[in-house]
Amino acid sequence: MDRIIVTGGQELRGQIPIAGAKNACLTLMPAALLTSEPLTLTNAPRLSDIATMTELLSSLGCEVASLQDGRVLALGTERISNHTAHYDIVRKMRASILVLGPMLARDGEAVVSLPGGCAIGARPVDIHLSGLEAMGAELDLRDGYVHAKAPDGLIGAEYTLPFASVGGTENLLMAATLARGTTVLHNVAREPEIVDLAHCLRAMGARIEGEGTETLTIHGVDKLHGATHRVVTDRIELGTYMLAPVIAGGEVELIGGRRDLLECFCEKLETAGAVISETPDGLLVRRDGPIRPVDIKTEVHPGFPTDLQAQMMALLTLAEGTSVLEETIFENRFMHAPELIRMGADIDVHGGIATVHGVAGLKGAPVMATDLRASVSLILAGLAAEGETVVSRVYHLDRGYEHLVRKLSACGADIRREKE
Ligand code: EPZ
């Protein structure tokens, strides 16, 4: 396994290009199962999760060609030759569950391994399943798999999600595009990745209203056709790199950055002392004065994104005062806290609340990553820490951040990757 070594103290200056969104691409790719015609995705990120989704879709009979060094994905599913998504792939990436709705909608059958939990929580899929049942699917859970059938096709239904689940919304939205009649989904997720999926499905001929609001209305059609769609900018990669010049000092331009994707996060970052200005090519970020404390509560979009909580905590460990972070989306998403404490941070965690008492400085240390966003919060802390921070198990990082070392070192960070 590789590790990343960061030596703190370097101010950052330069530009960081922001890639296409991992969490948009992971739902756009399964949409290719909905049609026999080609779906082309541009601005695709080059990440290990995309390779895993490619492996899964290929096992189902979907041809996936990676073009232009992985920036363009050309997908085509003339027919689904295998309707079973096996555990050995699904266990590597929970987003695999997103092939369930499309396979059911296209062919009326699907067998998908239950994804199981992960480091940040139990991650059930009950909302995905109850929504599909509302649309007429017959589901049988046995031996760790969902055996799903809809022999006469899915039927439009009215369904209220108990929680605005991102994946649940994506699965049901894709399934509804080919259902007979109209589907109305209430209390859906409103994340930019949902809006991006709706735009792509509409380009494929789907009839959808309400994306970005709490209610989606989908009028089923008989068939969808091919399309070419540009993957939306990755707001989580964007927010992560916006934090880099704020924690390390300096000024960085995030190429492709869009403030409208992260309004709540930007407001909190400005409260913490950042100056964010829009440029013709993206967003320019620097810090003005000391890092100031700010209270954070993670919420569904448009609230503060849970996927940026760990990164914000890294910054707030150096604030002049106390910040309270409340994690409301996942039950166990403070695993970065013990590692930050080893670097000298002063953090008290009780249940879903982390109280961060700012300290004057952090000290580099060997630290262990446990999930994708926890990993990158340790890198950010290392940029500001005195001395060397060694982050191991960086395979977590490769799931969500392409060329992280190259992007940060191009702005002057003292950072390298080596074999462990
Ligand atoms: C998506 O996961 C993202 N992953 C996550 O990003 C992100 O943290 C999450 O949305 C919330 O924004 C992808 O898009 C691939 P959820 P998802 O369904 O769809 C509960 C990253 O770092 N829930 O909105 O799994 C669940 O337990 C990853 O890029 C149910 O109870 O998130 C959790 O507590 C991490 N039943 C909460 O909802 C269900 O059927 C949020 O889950 C589904 C979810």
Side-chain angles (χ1 to χ4, degrees), residues 94 97-101 104 110-116 123-142 144-149 154 159-162 165 167-169 171-172 175:
R94 301 191 66 270
I97 193 71
L98 295 174
V99 302
L100 176 59
L104 256 184
V111 179
V112 179
S113 166
L114 285 164
R123 313 289 297 272
V125 291
D126 54 302
I127 298 171
H128 302 239
L129 303 183
S130 52
L132 290 169
E133 282 182 319
M135 295 165 71
E138 295 155 19
L139 305 183
D140 177 17
L141 298 195
R142 63 176 191 275
Y145 282 75
V146 185
H147 297 257
K149 285 197 177 315
L154 294 172
Y159 176 74
T160 298
L161 281 74
S165 158
T169 302
N171 239 331
L172 300 178

Side-chain angles (χ1 to χ4, degrees), residues 38-83:
L39 173 63
T40 302
L41 299 175
T42 62
N43 193 38
R46 292 164 295 188
L47 301 167
S48 57
D49 270 7
I50 304 305
T52 304
M53 182 59 83
T54 298
E55 182 190 351
L56 172 60
L57 291 172
S58 304
S59 77
L60 304 176
C62 174
E63 300 280 323
V64 186
S66 175
L67 313 170
Q68 294 179 29
D69 191 22
R71 275 263 176 271
V72 173
L73 298 172
L75 300 100
T77 320
E78 278 190 35
R79 54 184 284 276
I80 298 175
S81 52
N82 160 41
H83 291 84

